[in-house]
Amino acid sequence: MHHRQSNMKPMIPILRTLISCFVLFYSVTDAVSQTNSLTIGDPGVTVAELTWTGKIYNNDSNEPVGNAVMRSDQGVNAVSDLDGQFEITMSPGTYEFTISALGYGEQAISVTAYSSARADISLEVESILVEEVTIGGQDERSVITEITPGLQRLDADALQVQSKFFGEIDVLRSIQSISGVTNTGEGASGFNVRGGNTDQNLILQDGHLIFNPSHALGFFSLFHPDLVEHLDLYKGSTPAKYGGRLSSVLAVETKDGDRERLKVNGGIGLISSRLSVEGPIVKDKVSFIVGTRYSYADWIFGLVDNPEVSESSAFFNDVTAKISGRITPTTSIGGSFLRSKDDFQLGSEARFDYSTVSGEAFLKQLIGDKANLTLNVNKGRYESSLYDLKGNDQSKFTNAIDYIRSKADVLVSATDRVKLNAGVDLNIYDVSPGVIEPQNMSIVIPDELEREKGRELSGYVESQFTFSDRLEMSLGGRYTQFSNIGPGSSYTYPEGSIKTESNITGVVSYADGETIASYSGFEPRASLKYDIDDNTTVKGGYSRVYQYLAQISNTASATPIDIWQLSNEFIEPAWSDNFSVGLFKILDKKYSGSIEAFYRKSDNILDYRDFAILLLNDHVETELVVGNAVSYGFELNAQKSVGDFTWNLNYTYSSSQRQITPSETQVGVNRGEWFSSNYDIPHVFNLNMVKKWNKSDLSVNFTYRSGRPTTAPVSSFTTDNVLNIPIYSDRNKFRVPAFHRLDIAYTLGPYEAKNGRFDHSITLSVYNLYSRRNAYSVYFRQNPFESVKAIRVATLGSIFPAITFNFNLK
């Protein structure tokens, strides 16, 4: 048995320090907010006993607050159920109530009760472990109150005013307006955060693990916009509860269905339509919500007088469904389902098919008045295929990854000043690197690579301490262990030599369940916030992350067929240290701004040799090289909100560099010198402006970013038989032209029917207002007896007006 244990040893002293800190600060004195007063019933009514009923809800979102504890100075107590409802039987009089709930600030209320009545109570969210810096429709003071730098939230209201492609709102396009987030161009799948690869983003929808978040090769995302409650983007220091990706975490939360009445939402557009339905299954206890989208974009390609374009097609559809219910006052269960399907054909040469199918089940249990337990299990499959449609070698190439993800998480509010989050999660991967099948009687010989299996187990603990009114700290850690397991086989190579196909010396086989390679590592996490004054704060953070699963690609933009590679005996896991520090400020309650610097150092980053062959390669390690990467820069953000007019602007400067050093076991890149990564985009500027009127709103979005790196021929030579053979530059020495685009969207409505049950709106949008022909890529073509010519490819090179009809039945 071949077993490798890495030198990433657990840091036991740090774990002991965490436990000691938790014990030390457990007894810190609680802080109680200012006292409010409340009158219950009619002073003119005399009763011996009365009943106070009501609901406790979130002050920001109006969502119910379950398991809130109500204590009075006279021993009259109650606990709200999962829907926030409570009922108290009491005598007339005055009571001093203290109300507390996990994740909310404690509140004192003076209640004067005369007779039976209903009165609701609102609580304010308190910063706890996993905080978000919020944008769009949220409290501007969150940039001051939240502890962790580099975290941002985009809520459902903010999505409505972002850039709209063909009149449709979209999650991925919206987050690309956030500082530090880019992609490699129009039509590029995924997104890049602070110079990282697309595969270095952990993407979650509720409990679903998402490997490809894009529709139509990047033009849309698979997240149904009407089902999104909010999304959190962690682009700096990530909480200990998340791991496995080096750059960022995108966590999308969907809505629960309405438990009281049936509602229907939808939209009909030029390129796709959407529909969502929600309502009660058992009123006030069990609800459902389901949404679907369907595209019909082929007619657009037919308008273009170019055979390569007119023969193209793009189709996608998706379904998202969720059921949630309360089985006891403190217990809720549920499940959700996600299916996404794409079929994209480029001219008459090639076709892409890719799909995601995922299901999850969850249980949420309130434990006493201090703890919240969440259990989640997710099983899914991502599959992609590439069809070669011409010639006598027509074929279908398919790769896939099956995965199971389970997690147990507990959140404990020890005191008002000490919070604890701990848990364990397990990921199991089963990767099919490639299967090729002949199509239409072609000469292709069927072939299939061996499947690969991996198991990733992690445990974490994190505590948040409030030392004073000005100083807060979050300290935690995550320990991960990964095993690549059989059955399987691998080639052997001479020790101390470069791996090539010609020097394979043998094959080693492994039995089912046998460990092929094993790695482990400790990931410390820390965040600190200090309030200089009521409107100014400084934040800093650090996190280490290991990644055991990487996407292998030799293109600047990931494609659906790029394979996912598990760490094995030849490929060690990548890891990174992430640092960030920022200053956040509010001025005159109208302006808010920040400046934040970041630095990421990464090791064991996979890259590829020149002219690498990656698909259907059973010795892919011979095509790969490993090196170091650094990303650094700063982000400037400014926001102003005055009445019905809001603007947000941000600028990001960043540098993303790589170094592949030659050695006795691998070839180098660019002679071992540092070079720009495919995602090195130094300058990015975004501007978003929104003006609202009584029954309409106008949004304007502008973005500018530097051109991404590319490799180009710099000279040529001639032989006896071949003329003008090109000689290429060092990797990524040149850049494509800069990218910039202006979009506008005007929404009329919503207009309500007289009965108030139906409203509708119309969105008029213009994408790429001034018809900028942004270069998606530049490639080089050489005709016989001619020199090499640069060809500029623009995916969307003209203006795109659109109209969408939106409706809501409630």
Side-chain angles (χ1 to χ4, degrees), residues 55-70:
K55 178 180 179 180
I56 301 177
Y57 62 92
N58 184 311
N59 186 54
D60 292 328
S61 66
N62 293 322
E63 294 180 350
V65 178
N67 209 35
V69 178
M70 307 174 66

Side-chain angles (χ1 to χ4, degrees), residues 11 65 79 109 136 165 285 300 305 453 495 664 709 785:
M11 305 168 89
V65 178
V79 178
I109 300 179
F165 178 67
K285 290 184 178 294
I300 296 176
D305 188 18
K453 295 183 179 180
E495 186 175 351
E664 62 178 8
F785 308 105

